[in-house]
Amino acid sequence: RTSGYEITSALVSLSGSGIASQNSKGIAGVSGRVIGPDDVARALDAARAITVPYNRQILHVIPRGFIVDGQDGIRSALGMHGYRLEVEAHIVTANVTALRNLEKCLEAAGLDVDGWVASSLASAEVVLTETEREMGVVMCDIGGGTTDLAIYIEGAVWHTAVIPVGGDHLTSDIAQGLHLPLETAEMVKRRHGQARPAAVDAGAAFAVRPFGQEQTVQVRMVDLAAIVEPRVEELFSLVRQEIKRSGYDGLLPAGVVLTGGSSPLPGMRDVAADVLHLPVRSAQPEGV
């Protein structure tokens, strides 16, 4: 309304535990001529011919690389001469029920769905540099309810995953630890949150009004940081497990790029570096 434009349709970003991914291969015969877009499309169609459960829908089939007559490491096979074209593809699927329910919500708001995109891939498009994608990097998008991961190696996405821990869990921990309403806990997290107790001034404190108190009370920043730190360490321990499970943990010299609403929390980057034993930088979308 403020922009003055009428928005009637949207490309919708998806997150949550309903997102899953796997890698697949597809083969197409070319019969000794120049490879064209139709041949690439046939190879990708072959790659997507995987067994998908009835309650899942394929969102993306992303080519990781091509093999022409046994020669691998090819980024684009278009215009090459060959007989046998193979493609290595990364396939992202989503829960059909979740998609349909989200579609109903959007229709109720007067929006048509132009298409779906996995949140981790959308974030990676705007925060990763070309060099990071080439070298090997993990994009870690820390949202409210979930943390989205995308592992890029040799310029292409090799693995995606969703971890069911995010900034809302930090807020919940603060609310329970300090006996605060959730709205107050969120405000405290944003204003005073710190993931490293050692980095906090020992005498620093702030005033809040917990449940059952008629007056505000002083809470030490060190005590708040002591609540936040274990949850942040748990989050990055889960990230580390997922990286190891992917099998690509030794191929990530560019380290980890943090983004998302919870990533600017002071100390978050230090904890990530300590737990993951990788270089870590914080990023915001650029060039948008």
Side-chain angles (χ1 to χ4, degrees), residues 119-129 133 139 150 152:
S119 179
S120 54
L121 300 181
S123 298
E125 282 298 313
V126 289
V127 301
L128 297 183
T129 67
R133 294 172 203 239
M139 198 287 308
Y152 279 76

Side-chain angles (χ1 to χ4, degrees), residues 208-210 212-217:
V208 287
R209 186 177 165 190
Q213 298 283 346
E214 295 183 5
Q215 303 290 329
T216 60
V217 299

Side-chain angles (χ1 to χ4, degrees), residues 3 66 69 76 81 105 108 125 155 182 250 270:
S3 72
F66 294 92
D69 294 348
S76 174
H81 190 279
C105 290
E125 282 298 313
L182 279 172
D270 296 335

